[in-house]
Amino acid sequence: MSEVTSRDGAGTQVFDALIVGAGFAGLYQLHCLRDRLGLSAHVLEAADGVGGTWWWNRYPGARCDSESHAYAFYFSDELLQSWDWSERYPQQPEILRYLNHVADRLDLKRDMTFGARVAAAEWDGAATLWRLRTEDGRRYAARYLVTAVGCLSSANVPDIPGLGDFAGEWFHTGTWPHGGVDVAGKRVGMIGTGSTGIQAAPVLAEAAAHLTVFQRTANYSIPARNRPLDDTFKAWAKAHAAEIRQAMHSTPNGHPWPLGERSAHDVDDAEREALYRAAWEKGGLALRATFRDILTDRAANATAAAFIKARIREVVKDPATAALLAEVDHPFATKRPPIDTGYFETFNRDNVTLVDVRADPVERITPTGVRLRSGTEHPLDIIVFATGFDAMTGALLRMNVTGRDGLPLAEAWAAGPRTHLGLQAAGFPNLFIVTGPGSPSVLTNMPVAIEQHVEWITDAIAHLRATGAATMEPTEDAMDRWVAHVNDAANATLMPEAGHSWYLGANVPGKPRVFMPYAGGMARYRRICAEVAANGYEGFVLAGDRARVPA
Ligand code: NAP
């Protein structure tokens, strides 16, 4: 166990570094700080086990939309060779087993405290320490604080009047009960048709007596074409790990497939259709990479959008339902594009109804179900909220972070999050954010982004210790430039056109509308971060003398 550096009179446990969160990011960060730098490092995790998003999201059908052989740590060949994925797209229980395997193999759990939700994190400038308090009153302190709280971990339950009076049961997909929910014979209503709802609907429909899907915004989805992986593929992936890693490091999205080199306008209609059809049959997110300009050129995007809408109309038998599902109001992939297993086919079942809550919004939850503005009632036994998350900033702000001179992070970010490289914010010394706002994170294959962040943060902390600097934080000027660059990168794409997306914070009432992830691509971001470090952490202030800082 990493040594607790000290305990003060108030029972505070003091470490060199505290890490909040035990998902992909927290696991690797602990390994790097403890086993590579030799620091005393400790993880605080609200859940009762490792896994992060995969510990919480146990809803029916929960599955990753990165291919399994790419959804893994690549920093350790030993880890890669010691694990076999069973399916093209891993299911939640398998990912959770994988993350436990990693934690056990690297002997990480002995330096973790579970059931520890951070209620406050305050910078103590006099002691040069972050002081943390958990909800149950335990106290911790550390020189470095790394948040590894994920981008999509603060569940968003819409404030619909009457929910408290509902006589049935209701659940948010992001906090699904661990024992599961028995929907057999029940009338289930599901609100939300994002990636989660699209995965959950087919599985719920199979078990429930009736499933009513409340759709506000129609969505594109591409068939996953999930399948078991055979031994030949598994052996190939292990033997070619170095090439797969190289491919993932060289693409904008961190997936092991490249962005097409041609424009959608470079080919005639027949060839374009054939390419889309091949991508559709192959399945998965790579359809969006068919041409290089799908996310940047409106007309190019329209060709992909039209192709997918035609497939929806082909699959769904009832023309009115098909029209509702195919009336997507934003360009393709400007919201995170889901992949599915039988989503549109689900609406051909006799026990499934699609309700258009754009035309007739949910007015209130009654004791017996959902009532729409028109007065139409949908009687339900169970309501499933597949309504997403307070993304990218929600989990960070929920920790009540207070920086220098008592500045709350919520105040510093009142007009939207401001960071340098998504990694640090001025006024919050030694606070490092993994996959924070202003980083590529959610626009990429997450483990690739996480590995890069964790390694950059580890190198930065090693640099601080080698140079004797006590603190590190960006300048306001560097932050202004990065925020401007993040905006420019977003505006160079069509993504801001999806005005109601969580990328913009638009799904949470009152949240400032700022495009949060960095859309410039993972490979470019990696180069920028490396240059910043090579130039002596350009844009960051490294200050103070560690030798004079009290322990
Ligand atoms: P989401 O994309 O934010 O979708 C939420 C859905 O709920 C939207 O359809 C939204 O409609 C609807 N909604 C929200 N409030 C509503 C209200 N008051 N009334 C009616 N409808 C309402 O959330 P998500 O599906 O959980 O996905 C979030 C992200 O998690 C994904 O984009 C992805 O990055 C990640 N994820 C990944 C996977 C995977 O790897 N396979 C699976 C699930 C999730 P509007 O569009 O009209 O706002």
Side-chain angles (χ1 to χ4, degrees):
M1 170 128 154
S2 293
E3 288 302 306
V4 175
T5 312
S6 65
R7 283 173 202 273
D8 67 11
T12 304
Q13 295 185 53
V14 186
F15 297 91
D16 293 325
L18 282 167
I19 300 156
V20 185
F24 269 93
L27 296 184
Y28 187 33
Q29 190 67 76
L30 174 60
H31 174 59
C32 284
L33 294 181
R34 186 191 69 180
D35 301 332
R36 289 192 192 154
L37 299 193
L39 303 190
S40 70
H42 196 80
V43 170
L44 300 176
E45 165 59 60
D48 290 332
V50 302
T53 199
W54 300 106
W55 196 88
W56 297 100
N57 281 271
R58 297 173 187 235
Y59 60 85
R63 193 184 282 285
C64 184
D65 57 14
S66 293
E67 292 187 55
S68 56
H69 69 287
Y71 198 72
F73 284 120
Y74 266 72
F75 68 84
S76 155
D77 204 49
E78 195 261 324
L79 274 181
L80 276 172
Q81 300 302 329
S82 67
W83 184 260
D84 275 318
W85 293 104
S86 67
E87 293 179 275
R88 180 180 179 189
Y89 296 99
Q91 277 200 69
Q92 175 269 334
E94 189 168 20
I95 305 172
L96 198 57
R97 280 199 300 279
Y98 169 72
L99 291 171
N100 274 285
H101 166 78
V102 170
D104 292 339
R105 199 100 184 175
L106 300 177
D107 197 13
L108 298 174
K109 289 178 186 168
R110 64 191 162 94
D111 289 309
M112 298 181 164
T113 300
F114 298 111
R117 185 178 286 284
V118 175
E122 287 168 14
W123 174 246
D124 176 345
T128 322
L129 286 176
W130 278 99
R131 295 193 179 278
L132 273 60
R133 185 171 43 77
T134 57
E135 273 182 0
D136 60 5
R138 283 173 280 179
R139 291 176 186 277
Y140 301 85
R143 177 100 353 109
Y144 314 107
L145 172 60
V146 184
T147 62
V149 293
C151 302
L152 297 156
S153 47
S154 184
N156 173 41
V157 179
D159 188 13
I160 302 175
L163 184 57
D165 303 330
F166 184 54
E169 295 178 290
W170 66 267
F171 307 95
H172 186 282
T173 50
T175 50
W176 200 257
H178 285 199
V181 176
D182 185 8
V183 299
K186 302 272 173 56
R187 298 162 302 175
V188 178
M190 186 186 78
I191 302 181
T193 53
S195 302
T196 301
I198 281 175
Q199 285 187 334
V203 187
L204 289 171
E206 269 181 25
H210 193 91
L211 174 68
T212 305
V213 176
F214 296 93
Q215 173 187 280
R216 188 165 68 184
T217 307
N219 215 338
Y220 301 96
S221 184
I222 297 157
R225 313 260 182 236
N226 186 42
R227 58 170 186 273
L229 293 176
D230 59 28
D231 290 344
T232 311
F233 181 86
K234 290 179 199 172
W236 175 86
K238 285 185 179 177
H240 293 82
E243 288 152 57
I244 295 167
R245 181 194 294 112
Q246 173 55 28
M248 294 193 299
H249 283 198
S250 59
T251 61
N253 50 47
H255 289 283
W257 28 265
L259 187 61
E261 285 172 8
R262 290 188 294 179
S263 158
H265 306 302
D266 287 345
V267 295
D268 63 21
D269 290 353
E271 186 176 357
R272 198 183 308 111
E273 174 82 9
L275 288 167
Y276 284 143
R277 201 165 276 278
W280 183 264
E281 291 309 322
K282 194 171 176 207
L285 290 172
L287 191 144
R288 72 174 186 219
T290 307
F291 300 107
R292 67 162 195 271
D293 49 0
I294 285 180
L295 255 182
T296 52
D297 179 300
R298 202 164 288 114
N301 189 290
T303 63
F307 174 85
I308 299 170
K309 289 176 182 181
R311 300 290 76 71
I312 298 171
R313 291 201 177 88
E314 227 167 55
V315 170
V316 181
K317 295 196 179 114
D318 172 54
T321 306
L324 266 184
L325 289 165
E327 271 169 24
V328 190
D329 65 356
H330 50 278
F332 168 57
T334 55
K335 289 171 98 173
R336 165 88 177 232
I339 62 174
D340 70 276
T341 300
Y343 177 64
F344 295 113
E345 290 82 350
T346 295
F347 294 94
N348 293 333
R349 297 176 65 108
D350 292 337
N351 70 333
V352 176
T353 310
L354 181 67
V355 174
D356 178 6
V357 294
R358 167 72 53 90
D360 191 3
V362 175
E363 189 175 70
R364 71 177 297 119
I365 311 280
T366 67
T368 53
V370 165
R371 185 192 303 153
L372 306 183
R373 187 175 291 166
S374 62
T376 307
E377 300 252 359
H378 291 275
L380 298 169
D381 303 308
I382 294 175
I383 301 175
V384 174
F385 288 98
T387 44
F389 302 89
D390 181 356
M392 302 207 76
T393 55
L396 277 169
L397 296 179
R398 202 162 67 174
M399 289 196 300
N400 295 308
V401 179
T402 309
R404 194 184 305 103
D405 303 324
L407 175 69
L409 187 62
E411 200 177 304
W413 287 3
R418 295 176 71 241
T419 65
H420 187 30
L421 304 174
L423 288 160
Q424 280 211 293
F428 299 85
N430 291 359
L431 168 66
F432 297 91
I433 308 168
V434 184
T435 63
S439 77
S441 54
V442 289
L443 301 179
T444 71
N445 178 27
M446 289 298 281
V448 172
I450 286 169
E451 281 192 356
Q452 185 273 346
H453 281 207
V454 166
E455 286 163 10
W456 194 95
I457 291 167
T458 305
D459 289 348
I461 292 176
H463 181 79
L464 288 177
R465 298 182 78 78
T467 57
T471 63
M472 172 171 178
E473 67 183 286
T475 64
E476 288 284 346
D477 186 46
M479 224 165 46
D480 286 345
R481 277 185 277 119
W482 185 251
V483 169
H485 180 58
V486 169
N487 284 330
D488 290 346
N491 290 330
T493 74
L494 301 171
M495 283 192 275
E497 291 192 14
H500 40 65
S501 97
W502 60 257
Y503 293 157
L504 278 160
N507 63 326
V508 176
K511 190 166 172 169
R513 291 206 179 193
V514 175
F515 195 88
M516 293 182 286
Y518 174 58
M522 189 59 215
R524 184 173 169 199
Y525 175 82
R526 182 187 296 280
R527 277 197 305 278
I528 295 170
C529 289
E531 277 166 26
V532 164
N535 293 337
Y537 293 91
E538 199 175 8
F540 292 89
V541 179
L542 279 59
D545 176 356
R546 189 161 50 86
R548 282 190 278 110
V549 171

